[in-house]
Amino acid sequence: MANRWTNNLTRADVTPKAAFLNRRQIIAGSVGLGAIAAGLPTNAQEALEPNTLEEITSYNNYYEFGTGKSDPAKNAHKLDTTQWSIKVGGMVDNPGDYALDELIGGMTVEERIYRFRCVEAWSMVIPWHGVELADILNRVGVQSGAKYVAFETVVQPENMIGVQRRVLDFPYVEGLRLDEAMNPLTIMATGIYGEPISKQNGAPIRLVVPWKYGFKSIKSIVGITLTDEEPPTSWNTANAREYGFYSNVNPNVDHPRWSQASERVIGGGLFAARQDTLMFNGYEEEVAGLYEGMDLAEFY
């Protein structure tokens, strides 16, 4: 069903479902799908060449399970997602520890077909299913004066080899400005292709912010905090020169160690031509107004 986010990217541009559904990677207890919505805005420039969904689940970053692209697929089966709860606190009217169904139950679950652009200059197209983050924040009640939303990933040292090796300072933390969090493009994803999200992709619930580099879309969330101060974020804390708080996709601002002007589409082959990266990952019409008056060159 087309809606306000529809453009020329359709299911035909996304990795075939049959290649993705490795049943060992699917968890129980998905939220039922409500309204189905295509997920890209009208101003997107082109359709991306499809890649296999096996590649989507086997080529990704989740450092709690190792630093190699295939490590999450090999190791994330150990993630314990039973009895999942999310602690909501800070400047909210209804703080508390919420079971997942309690936090998002009854909300409209939509399909959003989004570009995914990694800061490492590779990209995919992914059909997420989830709820708008704004709906969750409205449910818990955002207090006057709140300016930012902070997120925290689960830490299970016994199950996460990357935590044991102290790849980063865990728990992994991220944050958004409140207006970014309330933007209708920002979702909390619980599934892919109508199935529960796999563990290596951030089960049972993760953030998806399609106009930002992928590391902003924090996985396996157990904490949400509203605050009036900019929260620390893991990669900015680890290396502020290379990773800024905003981390918006910007082909005009290079990473200190590589160009961001183009990207490699996963599945295109080792020698496939790179494609140009779009400003805000193709969502400029929807989100550029959030940064009016800011120097977009100050990404890093």
Side-chain angles (χ1 to χ4, degrees):
M1 179 185 302
N3 78 344
R4 61 179 183 246
W5 308 125
T6 299
N7 79 333
N8 58 333
L9 280 185
T10 69
R11 278 293 190 99
D13 301 305
V14 189
T15 308
K17 180 177 180 180
F20 177 76
L21 297 181
N22 182 337
R23 292 295 175 175
R24 294 171 300 175
Q25 299 167 348
I26 299 300
I27 61 170
S30 65
V31 178
L33 290 179
I36 303 298
L40 283 173
T42 55
N43 66 320
Q45 299 297 311
E46 78 294 319
L48 299 180
E49 189 172 325
N51 50 281
T52 71
L53 281 182
E54 181 180 353
E55 289 166 341
I56 291 177
T57 55
S58 63
Y59 192 95
N60 62 318
N61 294 318
Y62 195 166
Y63 278 22
E64 284 85 339
F65 295 106
T67 57
K69 292 294 183 290
S70 63
D71 286 347
K74 291 187 295 186
N75 299 324
H77 67 278
K78 297 180 180 179
L79 177 67
D80 182 3
T81 59
T82 60
Q83 305 299 314
W84 198 269
S85 65
I86 298 178
K87 184 175 183 179
V88 179
M91 301 176 72
V92 296
D93 296 331
N94 302 297
D97 289 305
Y98 288 84
L100 188 55
D101 286 345
E102 184 182 10
L103 189 62
I104 66 174
M107 293 182 179
T108 298
V109 178
E110 296 183 352
E111 179 182 78
R112 299 287 183 88
I113 302 175
Y114 282 159
R115 287 185 180 85
F116 182 90
R117 174 58 156 81
C118 182
V119 73
E120 298 166 342
W122 54 266
S123 65
M124 297 182 181
V125 176
I126 301 176
W128 305 101
H129 293 86
V131 303
E132 291 189 11
L133 176 57
D135 291 340
I136 294 176
L137 297 180
N138 288 332
R139 174 166 288 184
V140 300
V142 179
Q143 293 182 353
S144 176
K147 298 178 181 178
Y148 297 91
V149 186
F151 305 89
E152 183 175 317
T153 291
V154 70
V155 176
Q156 298 176 1
E158 69 280 11
N159 298 327
M160 293 175 157
I161 192 169
V163 172
Q164 297 169 19
R165 295 173 179 172
R166 300 189 63 81
V167 175
L168 287 169
D169 288 333
F170 296 108
Y172 192 93
V173 292
E174 258 302 340
L176 297 173
R177 216 168 58 190
L178 182 59
D179 56 352
E180 297 175 318
M182 299 296 284
N183 186 281
L185 284 178
T186 304
I187 65 169
M188 295 284 270
T190 56
I192 301 175
Y193 275 105
E195 299 285 344
I197 196 168
S198 62
K199 293 183 177 182
Q200 64 263 38
N201 289 107
I205 187 167
R206 65 170 289 169
L207 179 69
V208 177
V209 192
W211 70 92
K212 293 180 178 289
Y213 290 113
F215 65 86
K216 293 293 292 184
S217 293
I218 184 171
K219 302 178 179 73
S220 303
I221 293 170
V222 293
I224 300 174
T225 303
L226 277 292
T227 176
D228 59 357
E229 297 182 352
E230 183 178 292
T233 61
S234 286
W235 281 107
N236 179 253
T237 299
N239 190 342
R241 175 177 173 268
E242 297 193 359
Y243 304 100
F245 176 81
Y246 285 97
S247 301
N248 294 319
V249 176
N250 189 341
N252 303 312
V253 178
D254 291 338
H255 185 279
R257 290 182 282 131
W258 57 79
S259 171
Q260 295 288 20
S262 64
E263 62 201 57
R264 176 173 59 93
V265 179
I266 298 303
L270 185 62
F271 301 105
R274 296 171 69 91
Q275 70 176 29
D276 292 341
T277 291
L278 300 175
M279 187 65 191
F280 293 113
N281 204 24
Y283 303 91
E284 184 172 7
E285 182 177 326
E286 286 71 28
V287 303
L290 296 174
Y291 311 103
E292 187 174 357
M294 293 179 62
D295 182 358
L296 297 179
E298 293 183 351
F299 163 58
Y300 292 109

